[in-house]
Short mmCIF file of all heavy atoms in Angstrom, two decimals:
data_model
loop_
_atom_site.label_atom_id
_atom_site.label_comp_id
_atom_site.label_asym_id
_atom_site.label_seq_id
_atom_site.Cartn_x
_atom_site.Cartn_y
_atom_site.Cartn_z
N VAL A 71 19.17 36.56 -0.05
CA VAL A 71 18.91 35.44 0.87
C VAL A 71 19.03 35.87 2.34
O VAL A 71 18.08 35.69 3.11
CB VAL A 71 19.85 34.26 0.55
CG1 VAL A 71 19.70 33.15 1.60
CG2 VAL A 71 19.53 33.69 -0.83
N PRO A 72 20.15 36.46 2.79
CA PRO A 72 20.21 36.86 4.20
C PRO A 72 19.18 37.92 4.57
O PRO A 72 18.60 37.88 5.66
CB PRO A 72 21.64 37.41 4.35
CG PRO A 72 22.40 36.88 3.20
CD PRO A 72 21.42 36.77 2.09
N LEU A 73 18.93 38.87 3.66
CA LEU A 73 17.98 39.93 3.96
C LEU A 73 16.56 39.38 4.07
O LEU A 73 15.80 39.77 4.97
CB LEU A 73 18.05 41.01 2.89
CG LEU A 73 17.20 42.26 3.11
CD1 LEU A 73 17.55 42.93 4.43
CD2 LEU A 73 17.37 43.24 1.95
N ALA A 74 16.18 38.48 3.18
CA ALA A 74 14.85 37.88 3.23
C ALA A 74 14.67 37.05 4.50
O ALA A 74 13.60 37.08 5.13
CB ALA A 74 14.60 37.02 1.99
N ILE A 75 15.71 36.33 4.90
CA ILE A 75 15.62 35.52 6.12
C ILE A 75 15.51 36.42 7.35
O ILE A 75 14.68 36.17 8.24
CB ILE A 75 16.86 34.60 6.22
CG1 ILE A 75 16.80 33.53 5.14
CG2 ILE A 75 16.94 33.97 7.61
CD1 ILE A 75 18.02 32.64 5.10
N ALA A 76 16.34 37.46 7.42
CA ALA A 76 16.28 38.38 8.57
C ALA A 76 14.92 39.06 8.65
O ALA A 76 14.34 39.19 9.74
CB ALA A 76 17.40 39.41 8.46
N LEU A 77 14.41 39.51 7.51
CA LEU A 77 13.11 40.17 7.51
C LEU A 77 12.00 39.20 7.88
O LEU A 77 11.06 39.56 8.60
CB LEU A 77 12.85 40.76 6.12
CG LEU A 77 11.61 41.64 5.96
CD1 LEU A 77 11.67 42.83 6.90
CD2 LEU A 77 11.48 42.13 4.51
N ALA A 78 12.10 37.95 7.41
CA ALA A 78 11.09 36.95 7.74
C ALA A 78 11.07 36.65 9.23
O ALA A 78 10.00 36.51 9.84
CB ALA A 78 11.34 35.68 6.94
N ILE A 79 12.25 36.55 9.84
CA ILE A 79 12.32 36.31 11.29
C ILE A 79 11.71 37.49 12.05
O ILE A 79 10.95 37.30 13.01
CB ILE A 79 13.77 36.06 11.73
CG1 ILE A 79 14.30 34.76 11.13
CG2 ILE A 79 13.88 36.03 13.24
CD1 ILE A 79 15.77 34.50 11.42
N GLY A 80 12.05 38.70 11.63
CA GLY A 80 11.48 39.88 12.29
C GLY A 80 9.97 39.93 12.19
O GLY A 80 9.27 40.22 13.18
N MET A 81 9.43 39.64 11.01
CA MET A 81 7.98 39.65 10.85
C MET A 81 7.32 38.53 11.65
O MET A 81 6.25 38.71 12.23
CB MET A 81 7.63 39.53 9.36
CG MET A 81 8.01 40.74 8.53
SD MET A 81 7.33 40.72 6.84
CE MET A 81 8.09 39.25 6.19
N ALA A 82 7.98 37.36 11.69
CA ALA A 82 7.42 36.25 12.47
C ALA A 82 7.37 36.59 13.96
O ALA A 82 6.39 36.27 14.65
CB ALA A 82 8.24 34.99 12.23
N LEU A 83 8.43 37.21 14.46
CA LEU A 83 8.43 37.63 15.86
C LEU A 83 7.33 38.65 16.14
O LEU A 83 6.68 38.63 17.19
CB LEU A 83 9.79 38.20 16.24
CG LEU A 83 10.96 37.22 16.30
CD1 LEU A 83 12.27 37.98 16.47
CD2 LEU A 83 10.77 36.23 17.45
N LEU A 84 7.11 39.53 15.17
CA LEU A 84 6.10 40.57 15.35
C LEU A 84 4.70 39.99 15.39
O LEU A 84 3.91 40.32 16.28
CB LEU A 84 6.23 41.59 14.22
CG LEU A 84 5.34 42.83 14.32
CD1 LEU A 84 5.66 43.63 15.57
CD2 LEU A 84 5.51 43.71 13.08
N VAL A 85 4.38 39.10 14.44
CA VAL A 85 3.02 38.56 14.39
C VAL A 85 2.81 37.48 15.45
O VAL A 85 1.66 37.11 15.74
CB VAL A 85 2.70 37.99 13.00
CG1 VAL A 85 2.80 39.06 11.93
CG2 VAL A 85 3.62 36.82 12.65
N ASN A 86 3.90 36.97 16.06
CA ASN A 86 3.77 35.99 17.13
C ASN A 86 3.65 36.64 18.50
O ASN A 86 3.47 35.96 19.50
CB ASN A 86 4.97 35.04 17.11
CG ASN A 86 4.75 33.81 17.97
OD1 ASN A 86 3.71 33.16 17.88
ND2 ASN A 86 5.72 33.49 18.80
N SER A 87 3.77 37.96 18.53
CA SER A 87 3.67 38.69 19.80
C SER A 87 2.21 38.89 20.19
O SER A 87 1.29 38.44 19.49
CB SER A 87 4.37 40.04 19.68
OG SER A 87 3.73 40.86 18.71
N LYS A 88 2.02 39.57 21.30
CA LYS A 88 0.67 39.83 21.80
C LYS A 88 0.16 41.21 21.40
O LYS A 88 -0.76 41.75 22.03
CB LYS A 88 0.65 39.69 23.32
CG LYS A 88 0.99 38.28 23.80
CD LYS A 88 0.95 38.17 25.32
CE LYS A 88 1.30 36.76 25.77
NZ LYS A 88 1.27 36.63 27.26
N LEU A 89 0.73 41.78 20.36
CA LEU A 89 0.27 43.08 19.87
C LEU A 89 -1.12 42.95 19.26
O LEU A 89 -1.50 41.88 18.77
CB LEU A 89 1.26 43.62 18.82
CG LEU A 89 2.66 43.96 19.31
CD1 LEU A 89 3.54 44.35 18.13
CD2 LEU A 89 2.61 45.08 20.34
N PRO A 90 -1.90 44.02 19.25
CA PRO A 90 -3.22 43.96 18.62
C PRO A 90 -3.10 43.87 17.09
O PRO A 90 -2.10 44.28 16.50
CB PRO A 90 -3.88 45.28 19.05
CG PRO A 90 -2.74 46.19 19.37
CD PRO A 90 -1.65 45.32 19.91
N ALA A 91 -4.13 43.33 16.46
CA ALA A 91 -4.24 43.24 15.00
C ALA A 91 -3.13 42.40 14.38
O ALA A 91 -2.69 42.66 13.27
CB ALA A 91 -4.26 44.63 14.37
N THR A 92 -2.69 41.35 15.09
CA THR A 92 -1.67 40.49 14.50
C THR A 92 -2.20 39.71 13.31
O THR A 92 -1.45 39.38 12.38
CB THR A 92 -1.13 39.51 15.55
OG1 THR A 92 -2.22 38.79 16.15
CG2 THR A 92 -0.36 40.26 16.63
N GLY A 93 -3.50 39.41 13.32
CA GLY A 93 -4.10 38.72 12.17
C GLY A 93 -4.02 39.56 10.90
O GLY A 93 -3.70 39.06 9.82
N LEU A 94 -4.28 40.86 11.04
CA LEU A 94 -4.17 41.77 9.90
C LEU A 94 -2.72 41.90 9.44
O LEU A 94 -2.45 41.97 8.22
CB LEU A 94 -4.73 43.14 10.27
CG LEU A 94 -4.71 44.22 9.18
CD1 LEU A 94 -5.54 43.76 7.98
CD2 LEU A 94 -5.24 45.54 9.73
N MET A 95 -1.79 41.90 10.39
CA MET A 95 -0.38 41.98 10.01
C MET A 95 0.06 40.72 9.25
O MET A 95 0.81 40.80 8.27
CB MET A 95 0.48 42.16 11.27
CG MET A 95 0.45 43.58 11.84
SD MET A 95 1.71 43.84 13.11
CE MET A 95 1.06 42.84 14.44
N ARG A 96 -0.42 39.56 9.69
CA ARG A 96 -0.07 38.33 8.98
C ARG A 96 -0.57 38.38 7.53
O ARG A 96 0.15 37.99 6.61
CB ARG A 96 -0.69 37.12 9.69
CG ARG A 96 -0.10 36.84 11.06
CD ARG A 96 -0.76 35.62 11.68
NE ARG A 96 -0.35 35.47 13.07
CZ ARG A 96 -0.74 34.46 13.85
NH1 ARG A 96 -1.53 33.52 13.36
NH2 ARG A 96 -0.33 34.39 15.10
N LEU A 97 -1.79 38.84 7.34
CA LEU A 97 -2.33 38.95 6.00
C LEU A 97 -1.55 39.95 5.17
O LEU A 97 -1.24 39.68 4.00
CB LEU A 97 -3.80 39.38 6.07
CG LEU A 97 -4.51 39.61 4.71
CD1 LEU A 97 -4.53 38.33 3.90
CD2 LEU A 97 -5.92 40.14 4.94
#
Side-chain angles (χ1 to χ4, degrees):
V71 174
L73 185 58
I75 291 176
L77 187 59
I79 294 175
M81 292 191 298
L83 291 171
L84 186 62
V85 300
N86 193 48
S87 63
K88 297 181 180 180
L89 295 175
T92 54
L94 181 60
M95 284 191 290
R96 293 181 189 182
L97 177 61

